[in-house]
Amino acid sequence: EDEAGQAYFDKIIAEDSRIEPADWMPEKYRKTLTRQMSQHAHSEIIGMQPEANWITRAPSLKRKAILMAKVQDEAGHGLYLYSATETLGTPRHVLNEQLMSGKAKYSSIFNYPANSWADMGAIGWLVDGAAIANQVPLCRASYGPYGRAMVRICKEESFHQRQGFEILLELANGTPAQKQMAQDAVNRFYAPALMMFGPTDTDSPNSQQSMAWNIKRFSNDELRSRFVGMIQEQVKVLGLTLPDDQIRYNEETGLWEHGELNWDEFYEVLAGRGPCNAQRMERRREAHENGAWVREAAAAYAAKKAQKAQV
Ligand code: ACO
């Protein structure tokens, strides 16, 4: 049976078609997707924190409403992705335990602090911009539920990216102090945003297999290069600069090059020793504990409904 399953799986991948939850799939394919998708879900949930931090301090009612909507979108993306991950067989509470015990990773970027209002702009422009560059190709991922989830998520991310750009544009055209605040935010978020794409291709253990399975369509470095090309153009509209004097287009390779990134810092953040890791995890655990009554009520309600259905 496995042989027939494997043959079917290979055919689907070769045709660049889609694997669905009930289809046979190699255990390693299931495992790598569960890892990537759950890490993605955790990132959305932890990613709510740096921005939630600014909801009460947004400079106007309109900005506050927009920021609240964005943070809610991220909660939605997380829940959507947990549901998609569950179709691979790991229940939500197990995924959640993996996050809270520190066993599962989430994106490095959310371990950096959001110090000023301009950071809401830099996060929208650079962080959500990097997320889009990474996630648009994932809309074609070979696993159906993941690819479909990405379509909707990317649409919302595009709105997030534009609202961030617009915050920076307004600050950049404001007083000299406001412009400086915008520049400072861009300076701090530039390198961590580039690291979101993951280690360089030579240090990315999962890329080759994930590309062979049509989960990833481009390598980490290819996507990072494409992103640098986009933002080096957009930053001109802002009248700001990127803190990297080594950005250049390589005619031969067709790739955008950038300055060396601090990979020691990246691995420190992944190991839980970034500027905000401890705080992010503590908040997540607190929120989970405070939400216990909601889960209990939902379970009691479901049990009551099931009992009624039996009568
Ligand atoms: N932050 C934290 N962990 C990372 C990061 C990062 N920026 N980049 C890579 N890693 C981890 C990988 O998960 C992998 O972990 P492992 O020990 O479980 O194997 C390890 O570092 C080695 O990296 P790769 O072999 O390159 O891993 P992979 O092929 O999975 O590529 C990538 C990493 C590009 C992040 C991929 O998983 C992906 O595209 N994920 C979906 C997008 C996503 O998760 N975005 C979250 C941030 S965007 C947002 O939420 C708004």
Side-chain angles (χ1 to χ4, degrees):
E1 198 197 357
D2 277 9
E3 241 171 62
Q6 182 73 50
Y8 175 78
F9 177 84
D10 291 344
K11 182 170 162 281
I12 293 283
I13 298 296
E15 283 172 353
D16 204 353
S17 191
R18 282 197 149 149
I19 301 294
E20 295 298 336
D23 293 340
W24 186 91
M25 61 185 90
E27 263 324 291
K28 280 190 175 161
Y29 178 82
R30 189 185 296 279
K31 210 174 147 195
T32 210
L33 274 168
T34 304
R35 176 186 64 78
Q36 175 167 331
M37 290 165 66
S38 62
Q39 172 188 304
H40 195 163
H42 300 327
S43 304
E44 299 281 358
I45 297 299
I46 298 285
M48 295 166 73
Q49 292 187 34
E51 292 176 306
N53 179 34
W54 278 92
I55 289 176
T56 55
R57 291 177 287 168
S60 71
L61 183 60
K62 196 172 132 200
R63 293 285 183 201
K64 185 170 172 151
I66 294 170
L67 192 58
M68 276 173 69
K70 178 179 191 278
V71 174
Q72 282 176 359
D73 284 352
E74 275 148 20
H77 297 174
L79 299 182
Y80 210 50
L81 282 165
Y82 281 129
S83 295
T85 312
E86 281 190 295
T87 65
L88 292 160
T90 309
R92 173 99 49 111
H93 72 93
V94 174
L95 299 171
N96 196 45
E97 278 157 22
Q98 290 170 348
L99 171 65
M100 293 203 298
S101 67
K103 201 176 140 218
K105 293 190 170 77
Y106 59 87
S107 183
S108 50
I109 191 71
F110 301 119
N111 294 304
Y112 291 85
N115 293 336
S116 74
W117 171 252
D119 288 10
M120 296 303 96
I123 289 175
W125 178 46
L126 294 173
V127 175
D128 295 310
I132 296 168
N134 166 262
Q135 287 166 31
V136 165
L138 291 174
C139 294
R140 294 189 289 127
S142 57
Y143 189 56
Y146 193 32
R148 288 189 288 272
M150 281 299 118
V151 174
R152 171 165 170 186
I153 290 175
C154 283
K155 283 185 187 164
E156 291 181 349
E157 294 290 1
S158 301
F159 154 69
H160 297 172
Q161 199 245 3
R162 279 171 204 199
Q163 69 87 38
F165 187 84
E166 203 259 338
I167 289 175
L168 288 179
L169 189 64
E170 190 154 320
L171 289 173
N173 289 313
T175 64
Q178 286 172 328
K179 185 169 182 180
Q180 185 50 44
M181 186 161 71
Q183 183 63 60
D184 173 62
V186 171
N187 291 351
R188 281 180 292 108
F189 277 94
Y190 170 76
L194 259 55
M195 290 184 201
M196 286 173 68
F197 294 92
T200 57
D201 294 351
T202 43
D203 291 323
S204 165
N206 302 300
S207 278
Q208 249 186 338
Q209 181 60 75
S210 290
M211 285 169 77
W213 277 329
N214 295 341
I215 297 171
K216 287 167 89 161
R217 298 285 174 164
F218 301 97
S219 75
N220 297 356
D221 284 333
E222 280 170 328
L223 292 175
R224 187 168 17 246
S225 156
R226 191 182 288 189
F227 177 64
V228 169
M230 278 165 44
I231 58 172
Q232 64 79 31
E233 198 57 43
Q234 293 170 357
V235 78
K236 295 176 195 163
V237 181
L238 292 174
L240 300 175
T241 56
L242 295 175
D244 185 344
D245 59 10
Q246 290 177 59
I247 295 176
R248 69 175 196 106
Y249 185 68
N250 184 328
E251 297 277 351
E252 276 166 38
T253 59
L255 292 174
W256 281 92
E257 292 173 357
H258 55 82
E260 189 66 38
L261 294 166
N262 184 350
W263 293 110
D264 290 341
E265 176 183 311
F266 175 76
Y267 289 112
E268 278 295 292
V269 172
L270 259 60
R273 294 186 290 268
C276 298
N277 294 59
Q279 181 190 326
R280 301 290 185 241
M281 291 305 296
E282 196 184 310
R283 286 281 145 74
R284 181 83 282 280
R285 288 193 196 105
E286 250 172 44
H288 186 72
E289 280 160 26
N290 290 339
W293 70 272
V294 180
R295 290 188 296 279
E296 278 160 26
Y301 179 69
K304 208 162 117 185
K305 252 179 102 175
Q307 214 172 26
K308 261 193 194 156
Q310 270 176 5
V311 175

